[in-house]
C-alpha cells in the first residue's frame, strides 16, 4: 500500500532525511553537501569555494523572472558568498506568445544586472501539462574559505537576528495571485503596495548578509522560504543540532499582513518569507550586527537565542512557553489547493 499522497509544499522532513541518507558523495572536494537546512553546496576550488544553489519558482506567474534570480542569489549570500553566474530552465505553457517570453527574459536579464550576475546558460521549451510558466534557476557563486557560513554553524549562546519582517514574500505573492479579490476589499493603493514588496523592502538579502559578515562574527545564516520563519528555525536547529528559544512579541510581523489576515486567516510564522534573513551570532557581535543593519536602513530585531538541543524549540507567548509550530506545508498553499 502506498498510503496517503503527499500534500503541496516541501517534502516532509523525515522523508527528506531518508532520501539524503542514501546520497553517495564521491567527490572529496564537496565540503558542504546535502543536509536538512543547507540550501547551497560548497565545493573546494583551491583558494576558495564554489557555491551552487538551485530553486524553482512555482507560486507566482507575474515577475517570475525577478523572483527566480533573487531567490537563488539569496542562498549564495546566506552562505557568506557572492552570486556570480546564473543558469535558468524555462518551462513555458502552451498558448504563450513570443512577447510573453521576451518579457520573461527581460525580467531575468534586469535582475541579474542589478546584482552583477552573469546569465550564462540554460534551457527553454514549450511544454504541455502546466498552466503557468515555471522557472528553475541555478545560481553559482564563490566565497573565500574563511568566510563560508552554513545553516549548521549555530552555537549555544548565540542570539538570533531577523531582518525586515515576516512574511515578506507571502504578502507580495498573495497580492499578485489574489489581486482581484483584495482589490475589492482593500483598494488599489494597498494592493499595489503589497505587490511592490518584492522591490521595497525587497526580497533580496544580499545587502544584509554582507553587512552582517562585515560587522561581526556570524555563525549561521538562513533564508526563510517555504514554511516561513518557523521552518527556517527548525531547519537551523536540525542542521546545527541545537535548541531554540524565540519570543513572539519580538518577531516583527509586517503590518500589511495583519490586514491580509482579515480575509485569509494564515499564520505569519508559517508563510514564505524570502527577503528576511535569519542570523545566528554570538553576543556582543549580534548587537554590533543589529546596529550596523539599522544604521544602513535595514530593519532588524533580536527574536531569540540558541540553546541546548535537549531544550527543544519553544516560543514564548505572553507568560507561557509553547512548542514552536511546525509547518510542513506553507501557509499560502492553502490559497491554491
Amino acid at each position: 500500500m502506498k498510503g496517503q499522497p503527499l500534500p503541496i509544499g516541501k517534502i516532509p522532513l523525515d522523508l527528506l532525511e531518508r532520501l539524503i541518507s542514501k546520497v553517495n558523495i564521491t567527490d572529496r572536494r564537496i565540503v558542504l553537501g546535502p543536509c536538512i537546512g543547507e540550501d547551497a553546496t560548497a565545493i573546494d576550488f583551491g583558494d576558495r569555494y564554489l557555491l551552487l544553489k538551485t530553486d524553482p519558482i512555482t507560486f507566482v506567474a507575474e515577475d517570475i523572472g525577478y523572483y527566480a534570480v533573487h531567490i537563488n542569489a539569496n542562498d549564495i549570500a546566506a552562505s557568506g558568498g557572492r552570486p556570480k553566474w546564473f543558469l535558468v530552465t524555462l518551462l513555458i505553457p502552451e498558448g504563450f506568445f513570443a512577447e510573453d517570453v521576451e518579457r520573461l527574459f527581460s525580467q531575468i536579464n534586469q535582475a541579474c544586472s542589478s546584482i552583477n550576475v552573469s546569465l550564462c546558460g540554460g534551457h527553454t521549451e514549450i511544454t504541455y501539462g502546466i498552466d503557468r510558466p515555471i522557472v528553475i534557476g541555478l545560481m553559482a557563486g564563490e566565497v573565500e574559505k574563511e568566510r563560508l557560513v552554513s545553516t549548521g554553524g549555530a552555537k549555544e549562546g548565540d542570539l538570533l537576528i531577523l531582518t525586515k519582517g515576516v512574511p515578506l514574500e507571502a504578502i507580495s505573492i498573495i497580492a499578485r495571485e489574489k489581486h482581484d479579490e483584495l482589490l475589492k476589499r482593500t483598494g488599489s493603493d494597498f494592493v499595489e503596495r503589497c505587490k511592490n514588496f518584492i522591490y521595497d523592502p525587497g526580497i533580496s538579502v544580499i545587502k544584509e548578509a554582507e553587512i552582517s559578515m562585515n560587522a561581526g562574527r556570524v555563525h549561521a545564516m538562513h533564508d526563510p522560504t517555504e514554511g516561513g520563519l518557523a521552518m527556517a528555525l527548525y531547519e537551523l536547529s536540525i542542521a546545527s543540532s541545537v535548541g531554540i528559544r524565540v519570543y513572539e512579541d519580538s518577531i516583527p510581523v509586517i503590518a500589511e499582513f495583519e490586514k491580509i489576515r482579515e480575509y485569509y486567516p494564515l499564520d505569519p510564522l508559517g508563510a514564505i518569507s524570502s527577503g528576511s534573513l535569519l542570523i545566528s551570532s554570538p553576543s556582543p557581535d549580534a548587537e554590533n550586527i543589529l546596529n550596523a543593519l539599522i544604521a544602513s536602513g535595514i530593519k532588524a530585531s533580536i527574536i531569540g537565542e540558541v540553546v541546548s538541543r535537549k531544550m527543544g524549540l519553544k516560543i514564548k507567548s505572553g507568560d507561557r512557553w509553547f512548542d514552536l509550530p511546525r509547518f510542513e506545508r506553507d501557509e499560502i498553499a492553502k490559497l491554491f489547493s
Side-chain angles (χ1 to χ4, degrees), residues 90-334:
L90 303 180
L91 302 179
I92 309 298
E94 296 175 279
F96 244 50
F97 297 94
E99 51 266 36
D100 297 324
V101 180
E102 289 173 355
R103 183 170 57 252
L104 181 50
F105 256 90
S106 177
Q107 292 174 10
I108 294 170
N109 274 321
Q110 290 175 15
C112 285
S113 296
S114 71
I115 55 174
N116 198 27
V117 164
S118 297
L119 176 60
C120 54
H123 171 79
T124 61
E125 69 173 69
I126 313 297
T127 190
Y128 66 93
I130 58 175
D131 60 3
R132 62 175 64 199
I134 294 175
V135 180
I136 304 165
L138 188 154
M139 186 68 74
E142 58 186 0
V143 62
E144 293 81 4
K145 289 185 173 180
E146 67 276 9
R147 287 177 65 88
L148 178 66
V149 175
S150 71
T151 308
K155 296 177 171 54
E156 288 184 42
D158 282 359
L159 297 179
L160 295 171
I161 300 170
L162 184 72
T163 67
K164 296 171 183 166
V166 296
L168 196 157
E169 186 181 2
I171 294 171
S172 182
I173 291 174
I174 293 168
R176 290 161 186 274
E177 297 304 304
K178 298 294 182 180
H179 177 275
D180 293 344
E181 291 180 13
L182 274 179
L183 194 63
K184 295 175 183 177
R185 293 166 167 171
T186 63
S188 60
D189 288 347
F190 179 85
V191 174
E192 291 305 312
R193 185 167 70 251
C194 290
K195 288 171 64 176
N196 197 53
F197 266 40
I198 66 166
Y199 305 110
D200 182 17
I203 59 170
S204 174
V205 300
I206 293 174
K207 182 179 178 181
E208 49 255 58
E210 183 177 3
I211 290 170
S212 300
M213 292 286 291
N214 291 334
R217 290 174 294 168
V218 173
H219 286 159
M221 291 191 286
H222 199 36
D223 175 29
T225 53
E226 285 188 55
L229 175 61
M231 286 307 294
L233 291 167
Y234 269 100
E235 289 168 351
L236 183 126
S237 170
I238 293 169
S240 300
S241 296
V242 295
I244 286 173
R245 291 287 186 272
V246 291
Y247 305 92
E248 185 178 53
D249 290 344
S250 299
I251 297 171
V253 178
I254 297 170
E256 284 79 358
F257 190 73
E258 297 293 357
K259 183 69 174 177
I260 289 173
R261 290 179 77 186
E262 295 178 14
Y263 312 110
Y264 308 109
L266 308 176
D267 191 322
L269 295 182
I272 190 167
S273 197
S274 295
S276 301
L277 182 63
L278 182 63
I279 305 158
S280 182
S281 173
S283 181
D285 295 71
E287 296 289 348
N288 295 335
I289 291 170
L290 183 72
N291 293 333
L293 288 167
I294 294 172
S296 299
I298 298 172
K299 293 181 179 179
S301 308
I302 293 176
I303 64 166
E305 59 189 328
V306 179
V307 296
S308 168
R309 183 179 184 179
K310 65 183 180 182
M311 297 177 70
L313 282 82
K314 301 289 184 179
I315 183 168
K316 189 175 185 181
S317 180
D319 295 327
R320 298 181 60 191
W321 287 97
F322 300 90
D323 289 336
L324 183 71
R326 183 163 165 165
F327 300 86
E328 300 283 4
R329 181 186 189 221
D330 195 283
E331 284 286 271
I332 67 168
K334 295 176 181 178

